[in-house]
Amino acid sequence: MFLRELRNPLLEPLGDSAVFRPSDGAGPRLAFSTDSFVVKPRFFPGGDIGELAINGTVNDLAMSGARPLYLAVALILEEGLAISELERIASSIASAASAAGVTVAAGDTKVVERGKGDGVYINTSGVGIIDDGLDLSPSQVRDGDQVIVSGTIGDHGMAIMIARGELELELDLESDTAPLNGLVATLLESVDGVRCLRDPTRGGVATVLNEIAMAADLAVVLDEAALPIRPEVNGACEILGIDPLYVANEGKLIAIVAPADAGTAIAALRRHPIGEQSAIIGTVTSEPRGMVLLDTAFGGSRVVDMLAGDPLPRIC
Amino acid sequence: MFLRELRNPLLEPLGDSAVFRPSDGAGPRLAFSTDSFVVKPRFFPGGDIGELAINGTVNDLAMSGARPLYLAVALILEEGLAISELERIASSIASAASAAGVTVAAGDTKVVERGKGDGVYINTSGVGIIDDGLDLSPSQVRDGDQVIVSGTIGDHGMAIMIARGELELELDLESDTAPLNGLVATLLESVDGVRCLRDPTRGGVATVLNEIAMAADLAVVLDEAALPIRPEVNGACEILGIDPLYVANEGKLIAIVAPADAGTAIAALRRHPIGEQSAIIGTVTSEPRGMVLLDTAFGGSRVVDMLAGDPLPRIC
């Protein structure tokens, strides 16, 4: 609906950020991104809504190849929120911004009546610079490219599900929320053949790869045995009947890399503290166009569909 | 609390936008701003939350002297919102962006459960370019400068109060929501002596002038007889015991202008469709520093204080 109303060349690619050069010719290209955070609960193992809100926009900018520079933070507070909670969140926003090396340059606060919000919702938007010559996009993806994930999948989504206490599961599992801009810098310094980056948040790895396959008009074949998944996440997924490929991540990236560069890229990623478990999980092929397939551990093959609807509201 | 946690030179001026030059030396200065909109009701005479959200960020950018270019729009939808309402809002966002000459380059949508929102909350953030040589800031304000308002005051706030139907008042009154970037361009082309611009939204003219007086360490003396106020707004304010100087505006600007340029500035503003009722409403003086005074129609003088607290939640 919004795309139909607002149709324009910057919005239509539906990437993680809009990319533009603000002045014709002079000055660098900028990436500009926005995201609202409504995660429930707002404090969870491994992070909170404040840290998530900073990392989320930092990561969207980083996926465009931008160096994130300036963030704006806007809060919608529900009347009755304890000041001590807001203080924790403010402090967490400050630490996360500092850890990611970004400046919170602007902000806004609104208050709504009790029952018209849920404690706090946070919107972050951000601006970053893209170095000249860098063009990360699904249109750069080629047959034979390798698909890399920077670590274990499904940690954030499963940590949130467990933290809600609605499941009869007790697990020591933390969200992977982390800023990815340092990892991206490491990757881009190591090889020239990075085609495209995406962070598999809502909808997980499956959704991001489907989007890339469709945009590139190519296929992705995943190797189930190569997917890095924590045993506890795998176990919880099996009990709940959820496919970890669809579970949200908040500190992982998917990189599509030229075949000749994949080994060097993996080595570089693994040297970074948040990339130690990076793995090649699949290959880009020419057929079946626009689709993602999974070669299962049992030697079969199945289609990894685009997910219809939102499996888990308020995961971020 | 947030300023204490996030303290940095971009945030501290607490202006309508953060201003920075993203690449050292090359390229133009950018303005970057964010605002959330939680107005209630979301459709009101003269506008709706979608139009308000676009104009609000366009205006914050324009007050920094920036030409607004790109906006990001993020929606938090409450489960159960009628699609027809969302369509009206999407269409209104598109028209407002088009009218202001800005591109909606990025967006986000989140859905929260019934009872955890109120139909729709909208965050907009935006980026604009500031021409070199332009420096609008309270620090530019000088003793003797003239205070201009671009039209009648209090229209938006009073229209919202009436639209809520909680008052036993029926009035044919519309919000003044409008993009101010065209008016600012007209003003800046007409004279060089524009010191500072602010849009008197939440807290109204009184709050903005107090902020300027404090930041400039000068005083503002207002002439009550010169304040442009619609008779119906004035009447409603008298009945309700509200001072129109504190009532929100969404399509008006306050300009502080060098005395020699004030006449030319007023003439230019009045030629613009949304500036026809522009007026000089006061003068900057050296004493009493940091304060705003009102010379009343009866020949007296009273202090126009900074408002403590939010007189009317969800006005924007």
Side-chain angles (χ1 to χ4, degrees):
Chain A
M1 184 195 303
F2 280 89
L3 197 57
R4 193 177 65 225
E5 289 286 349
L6 298 167
R7 197 164 285 288
N8 67 68
L10 283 171
L11 189 61
E12 275 168 66
L14 293 178
D16 285 319
S17 307
V19 175
F20 50 81
R21 201 182 294 272
S23 50
D24 300 327
R29 282 175 303 162
L30 298 182
F32 178 35
S33 187
T34 189
D35 237 331
S36 298
F37 295 83
V38 299
V39 64
K40 178 180 164 181
R42 52 186 176 272
F43 299 94
F44 47 82
D48 62 38
I49 190 171
E51 183 181 356
L52 199 65
I54 296 295
N55 290 341
T57 289
V58 163
N59 293 350
D60 279 346
L61 294 171
M63 294 307 109
S64 311
R67 287 179 282 117
L69 295 177
Y70 302 104
L71 259 56
V73 176
L75 299 106
I76 297 178
L77 307 176
E78 185 193 10
E79 193 191 328
L81 176 73
I83 287 292
S84 58
E85 286 205 30
L86 191 58
E87 272 170 352
R88 273 179 72 188
I89 291 168
S91 157
S92 170
I93 285 173
S95 317
S98 168
V102 295
T103 299
V104 176
D108 178 56
T109 308
K110 293 289 187 305
V111 177
V112 296
E113 308 93 313
R114 209 178 281 260
K116 301 294 184 188
D118 195 8
V120 54
Y121 296 144
I122 304 181
N123 175 281
T124 49
S125 50
V127 174
I129 288 188
I130 303 179
D131 287 335
D132 277 331
L134 189 63
D135 182 12
L136 302 178
S137 144
S139 64
Q140 303 293 318
V141 175
R142 300 286 175 268
D143 185 3
D145 283 352
Q146 299 294 291
V147 180
I148 291 173
V149 68
S150 64
T152 55
I153 68 174
D155 297 357
H156 176 76
M158 196 49 72
I160 295 296
M161 278 187 253
I162 304 285
R164 285 192 192 160
E166 293 160 4
L167 310 173
E168 305 227 339
L169 278 178
E170 283 189 33
L171 266 184
D172 205 14
L173 188 61
E174 292 200 338
S175 165
D176 60 347
T177 181
L180 291 167
N181 49 338
L183 190 65
V184 170
T186 297
L187 176 62
L188 294 177
E189 281 160 21
S190 75
V191 295
D192 288 329
V194 180
R195 316 289 204 188
C196 169
L197 297 173
R198 294 298 284 273
D199 57 336
T201 55
R202 263 197 297 184
V205 169
T207 302
V208 157
L209 289 178
N210 268 285
E211 286 170 359
I212 292 174
M214 280 187 281
D217 198 25
L218 290 165
V220 171
V221 179
L222 292 175
D223 174 8
E224 188 174 34
L227 294 173
I229 309 178
R230 288 183 199 280
E232 55 270 40
V233 170
N234 218 7
C237 280
E238 281 188 11
I239 292 169
L240 300 169
I242 297 173
D243 186 339
L245 283 171
Y246 294 95
V247 181
N249 309 275
E250 290 289 342
K252 299 291 161 21
L253 60 81
I254 294 282
I256 314 287
V257 176
D261 284 338
T264 313
I266 283 285
L269 289 169
R270 285 185 180 162
R271 280 194 299 270
H272 194 284
I274 61 168
E276 286 171 0
Q277 298 189 66
S278 295
I280 296 175
I281 60 170
T283 303
V284 176
T285 63
S286 58
E287 297 287 344
R289 291 181 187 281
M291 292 182 73
V292 179
L293 300 179
L294 181 74
D295 285 344
T296 67
F298 305 105
S301 178
R302 68 172 174 87
V303 174
V304 179
D305 257 338
M306 193 75 170
L307 202 61
D310 202 340
L312 191 65
R314 302 186 57 185
I315 199 75
C316 61
Chain B
M1 183 196 304
F2 281 89
L3 196 57
R4 192 178 64 225
E5 288 286 350
L6 298 167
R7 196 165 285 289
N8 68 67
L10 284 170
L11 190 61
E12 276 168 63
L14 293 178
D16 285 319
S17 307
V19 176
F20 50 82
R21 201 181 295 272
S23 50
D24 300 328
R29 282 175 303 162
L30 299 181
F32 178 36
S33 187
T34 189
D35 238 331
S36 298
F37 295 83
V38 298
V39 65
K40 178 181 165 180
R42 51 186 175 272
F43 300 94
F44 47 81
D48 62 38
I49 189 170
E51 182 181 357
L52 199 66
I54 296 295
N55 290 342
T57 288
V58 163
N59 293 349
D60 279 346
L61 294 171
M63 294 307 108
S64 311
R67 286 179 283 117
L69 294 177
Y70 302 104
L71 260 55
V73 176
L75 299 106
I76 297 178
L77 308 176
E78 185 194 10
E79 193 192 328
L81 176 73
I83 288 291
S84 59
E85 286 205 28
L86 192 58
E87 274 171 350
R88 274 179 72 188
I89 291 168
S91 157
S92 171
I93 285 172
S95 317
S98 167
V102 295
T103 299
V104 176
D108 178 55
T109 309
K110 293 289 188 304
V111 177
V112 296
E113 308 93 313
R114 210 178 280 260
K116 300 296 184 187
D118 194 8
V120 53
Y121 296 143
I122 304 180
N123 176 279
T124 49
S125 49
V127 173
I129 289 188
I130 304 180
D131 288 333
D132 276 331
L134 189 63
D135 182 11
L136 302 177
S137 144
S139 64
Q140 303 293 316
V141 175
R142 299 286 175 269
D143 185 3
D145 283 351
Q146 299 294 291
V147 180
I148 291 173
V149 67
S150 64
T152 55
I153 67 175
D155 297 358
H156 175 76
M158 196 50 73
I160 295 295
M161 278 187 253
I162 303 285
R164 284 191 192 162
E166 294 160 4
L167 310 173
E168 305 227 338
L169 278 178
E170 284 189 30
L171 267 182
D172 205 14
L173 187 61
E174 292 199 338
S175 165
D176 59 347
T177 181
L180 290 167
N181 49 338
L183 189 66
V184 170
T186 298
L187 176 62
L188 294 177
E189 281 160 20
S190 75
V191 295
D192 288 329
V194 180
R195 317 289 205 188
C196 169
L197 297 173
R198 295 298 284 273
D199 58 335
T201 54
R202 262 197 297 184
V205 169
T207 301
V208 156
L209 289 178
N210 267 285
E211 286 170 359
I212 293 174
M214 280 187 282
D217 198 25
L218 291 164
V220 170
V221 179
L222 292 174
D223 174 9
E224 188 173 35
L227 294 173
I229 309 178
R230 290 183 198 278
E232 55 271 41
V233 170
N234 218 7
C237 280
E238 280 188 10
I239 291 168
L240 300 169
I242 297 173
D243 185 338
L245 282 170
Y246 294 94
V247 181
N249 309 274
E250 290 288 343
K252 299 292 161 23
L253 61 81
I254 294 283
I256 313 286
V257 177
D261 284 338
T264 312
I266 282 286
L269 289 170
R270 286 186 180 161
R271 279 194 299 270
H272 193 283
I274 61 167
E276 287 171 359
Q277 297 188 68
S278 295
I280 297 175
I281 60 169
T283 302
V284 175
T285 62
S286 59
E287 299 286 343
R289 290 184 187 278
M291 292 183 74
V292 179
L293 300 179
L294 181 74
D295 285 344
T296 66
F298 304 105
S301 177
R302 69 172 174 85
V303 174
V304 178
D305 257 338
M306 194 73 172
L307 202 62
D310 203 339
L312 191 65
R314 303 186 57 185
I315 199 75
C316 60

